[in-house]
Amino acid sequence: MLTDLDNYDCPLRLIEDWLGQDKTANPNFIFRIAVREVEAWLMADRENLAHFLGIPLQYIPQESDNLIDAKATLINLAERSRKRELKSDLIPKKGSTAKQGSNYNGCLAQCLQTWRLEKAMRVLPSLARAHHHLSQFTP
């Protein structure tokens, strides 16, 4: 299971809240937390994201793991795009209470088609740790 740290101040608190005291109930259950949000992992391949959004590379943050709200940052970056359909997918409609567009996940799934894991892991320690733990898993 992959989740975001979001508003928790540390991963241990989130784990305790979600899983309680028995964190090893099933040895085949892998629980990983993106620090702070999984969108930071997507932004770690800056060149790919800039190309996907159709915006200059300089707009993509270099330290995405330090972003308090990576999802909001990604949506703000999408607002700079000239790709109308992409903007419609990622950005919530004006007046909406939604935090993201109606096809947010589908649109980001398209971006992941060209996303470079190796490049992103060199930039983000939290992603490298998650990858290491997943690659070591044996059911």
Side-chain angles (χ1 to χ4, degrees), residues 2-100:
L2 173 65
T3 188
D4 295 333
L5 186 59
D6 284 331
N7 295 321
Y8 279 84
D9 58 351
C10 77
L12 292 177
R13 286 219 176 98
L14 187 148
I15 292 168
E16 287 175 6
D17 282 357
W18 285 32
L19 302 180
Q21 297 300 317
D22 189 14
K23 298 173 195 69
T24 59
N26 185 327
N28 289 322
F29 180 64
I30 300 173
F31 186 77
R32 299 305 305 170
I33 301 168
V35 179
R36 249 287 126 241
E37 294 181 314
V38 75
E39 285 85 355
W41 291 358
L42 183 66
M43 281 189 259
D45 183 358
R46 295 175 65 234
E47 293 86 2
N48 181 62
L49 184 60
H51 177 74
F52 180 76
L53 294 175
I55 63 174
L57 178 62
Q58 67 198 37
Y59 292 140
I60 311 294
Q62 292 188 26
E63 300 289 330
S64 59
D65 242 1
N66 295 331
L67 296 170
I68 299 299
D69 191 346
K71 180 180 283 190
T73 300
L74 182 60
I75 290 170
N76 288 335
L77 290 170
E79 289 177 349
R80 296 176 179 263
S81 178
R82 294 183 185 189
K83 298 179 179 181
R84 185 176 298 142
E85 185 176 344
L86 183 138
K87 290 173 80 164
S88 174
D89 286 347
L90 293 176
I91 302 168
K93 298 204 182 309
K94 290 191 189 299
S96 169
T97 58
K99 293 184 179 183
Q100 62 196 38

Side-chain angles (χ1 to χ4, degrees), residues 90-120:
L90 293 176
I91 302 168
K93 298 204 182 309
K94 290 191 189 299
S96 169
T97 58
K99 293 184 179 183
Q100 62 196 38
S102 60
N103 191 28
Y104 183 84
N105 291 331
C107 187
L108 294 186
Q110 291 175 12
C111 182
L112 285 172
Q113 298 300 314
T114 54
W115 183 69
R116 299 168 296 180
L117 172 63
E118 295 296 327
K119 179 158 184 65

